[in-house]
Amino acid sequence: MFRKTQSWPQLGKGGKALLPLLLLLLLVLAVSCSNKGNTAGAPGEEEQEDGDSDRRENSGETVDYQALGVNEVGEIMILMYHEIGEPEGTWCRTPANFRKDLETLYEEGYRLISMNDLLDGRIDLPAGCSPVVLTFDDGNSGQFRYLEKNGRLVIDPQCAVGILEEFHSTHPDFGLAATFYIFYETPFGQAEHIQKKLSYLVEQGFEIGNHCYNHGNLRRLAPKQARRELALQVKRTRDYLPGYNVRSLALPFGEHPEDMSYIIEGNFKGTAYRHDGILLVGANPAPSPFSRDFNPAALPRVRASEMDTDGVGLYDWLEQLRDDPERRYISDGDPAAVTVPEELADRVDRYRLDDKTLIPYK
Ligand SMILES: [Zn+2]
């Protein structure tokens, strides 16, 4: 279904000797990323490029691509969450474990970008950092819950939105982004608060994605029924959020028909839909949006879980990407350039660069 990174350079037997060096590199990377993170979120700063060299002046600082392991055709984890609550399970992450995930990602130099930013190749991170995308399926109540406190509605500090906002307040350079793939009638439970929740999410920069109107199995449904499931979700979302553009779809059960044409785009009774990105259920990081391997109609996700992960859960991949930094997307700090090690330059899909400059370096 999805081509794994078969032609990526892998560490063979001889690679073991490189491990201490790689660990050192990683340390340099992590320190650099978190240091520079303090000045993150300053797009449009004056930057000068020196295309012939492997260094770039960045706000007075020199970006050493090689030392940071910059690789913008590296892979990106799109994490898949379902319920946040108790107890921990295959499809449920506890609040404590969700906080641990965020902390670990932060410490290892990951920073949040939104799904739409990934689809648009709009990755604006400090040099040395790696993007990560958070996705939540099903609109479970533990993802976004209001509590009544002294007659006032407050966001439950134990729900995903509450935890993300709290973490962002103490780690502002981590970013704040996630996409919620909801179905109806009552996303997040609390029927009386649907309008308030959806409005709030979009105001905070979170995204709403398609997960079918009634969580239908798109492989089993006839095309007309499938179009109905997809269009009604968009229609209902727009009832709450007029004009809102639902741009991506997480396939319920990860299931899809062979013919993806009417899943990607279609309409039903006057409501049109168009999915710029379609998310699968498993089980590996996604290719960079600048890579020839990037297929927006079949984006793999990594399960953010520690149970029944079959060796392909979040912590398995964190370790793999740590051991094989050449495989991991590492930013050059310049959203207008796509910087890659020279030997990986042929992996770049030049049609996906738009007006960005390709910078191969030695
Ligand atoms: Zn689902």
Side-chain angles (χ1 to χ4, degrees):
M1 184 166 3
F2 178 76
R3 273 184 294 159
K4 260 191 124 176
T5 52
Q6 64 274 39
S7 51
W8 283 91
Q10 298 283 333
L11 279 185
K13 281 168 248 148
K16 289 268 190 288
L18 284 173
L19 205 57
L21 182 65
L22 287 175
L23 287 174
L24 183 69
L25 258 177
L26 190 75
L27 187 70
V28 171
L29 183 153
V31 168
S32 163
C33 177
S34 47
N35 283 349
K36 293 182 73 75
N38 296 334
T39 56
E45 278 178 53
E46 287 296 314
E47 290 176 355
Q48 290 177 346
E49 273 179 26
D50 178 359
D52 293 332
S53 124
D54 62 350
R55 286 155 190 267
R56 191 168 55 82
E57 295 295 318
N58 185 347
S59 321
E61 289 175 76
T62 301
V63 177
D64 187 333
Y65 298 141
Q66 203 171 37
L68 294 175
V70 168
N71 175 13
E72 298 193 313
V73 278
E75 294 171 62
I76 298 173
M77 287 194 290
I78 302 170
L79 298 182
M80 177 178 67
Y81 286 93
H82 286 77
E83 178 68 305
I84 301 295
E86 306 280 354
E88 182 76 15
T90 306
W91 305 105
C92 181
R93 200 86 177 119
T94 63
N97 281 335
F98 182 47
R99 285 190 193 94
K100 179 184 83 171
D101 297 347
L102 300 179
E103 191 68 51
T104 307
L105 288 164
Y106 182 81
E107 290 299 325
E108 299 213 15
Y110 290 88
R111 299 292 181 267
L112 296 180
I113 65 166
S114 74
M115 191 64 215
N116 288 345
D117 283 348
L118 177 78
L119 294 172
D120 296 337
R122 197 170 44 234
I123 302 179
D124 188 0
L125 296 180
C129 288
S130 297
V132 62
V133 178
L134 300 184
T135 68
F136 292 85
D137 284 14
D138 295 346
N140 301 112
S141 59
Q143 293 172 8
F144 192 0
R145 186 186 297 111
Y146 278 116
L147 301 176
E148 215 180 300
K149 216 174 172 183
N150 307 323
R152 217 162 59 83
L153 285 180
V154 296
I155 295 173
D156 183 352
Q158 298 291 88
C159 76
V161 171
I163 293 167
L164 279 167
E165 293 192 331
E166 205 276 329
F167 192 83
H168 181 240
S169 72
T170 53
H171 306 74
D173 57 315
F174 186 57
L176 185 63
T179 306
F180 293 87
Y181 293 90
I182 56 173
F183 64 94
Y184 291 96
E185 291 288 332
T186 46
F188 311 118
Q190 298 184 309
E192 67 279 25
H193 299 319
I194 298 174
Q195 176 69 64
K196 186 176 169 71
K197 287 181 183 179
L198 295 186
S199 302
Y200 182 83
L201 287 175
V202 170
E203 276 162 25
Q204 301 306 308
F206 294 112
E207 294 167 358
I208 306 297
N210 203 338
H211 201 44
C212 286
Y213 182 74
N214 200 18
H215 207 266
N217 184 324
L218 293 169
R219 185 171 62 84
R220 294 194 187 152
L221 291 173
K224 188 180 173 189
Q225 257 54 49
R227 291 203 314 273
R228 180 180 183 276
E229 275 281 285
L230 295 167
L232 282 188
Q233 199 275 2
V234 168
K235 183 177 183 303
R236 181 58 62 91
T237 301
R238 288 196 192 134
D239 287 345
Y240 289 110
L241 305 169
Y244 187 77
N245 191 7
V246 176
R247 291 188 55 195
S248 58
L249 161 72
L251 295 164
F253 314 103
E255 298 258 45
H256 62 85
E258 218 166 287
D259 175 9
M260 288 293 281
S261 60
Y262 60 92
I263 306 296
I264 294 171
E265 127 177 83
N267 70 78
F268 179 83
K269 292 194 175 168
T271 301
Y273 57 87
R274 154 95 211 167
H275 300 122
D276 298 327
I278 297 180
L279 303 179
L280 308 171
V281 162
N284 44 285
S288 159
F290 311 118
S291 162
R292 290 175 188 275
D293 290 332
F294 186 74
N295 176 5
L299 292 168
R301 287 189 288 177
V302 169
R303 275 186 45 203
S305 171
E306 288 175 276
M307 284 174 91
D308 312 315
T309 58
D310 299 321
V312 287
L314 166 59
Y315 288 85
D316 305 300
W317 280 112
L318 278 172
E319 194 181 323
Q320 288 220 32
L321 296 173
R322 206 183 295 136
D323 290 346
D324 191 358
E326 284 188 31
R327 204 175 152 174
R328 166 174 167 179
Y329 187 111
I330 296 175
S331 181
D332 62 2
D334 179 4
V338 172
T339 304
V340 299
E342 200 176 52
E343 66 274 18
L344 300 181
D346 64 348
R347 301 197 62 85
V348 174
D349 181 346
R350 292 176 191 244
Y351 291 105
R352 298 196 63 88
L353 287 177
D354 294 329
D355 52 358
K356 298 178 187 69
T357 313
L358 176 64
I359 305 180
Y361 72 91
K362 287 195 178 81

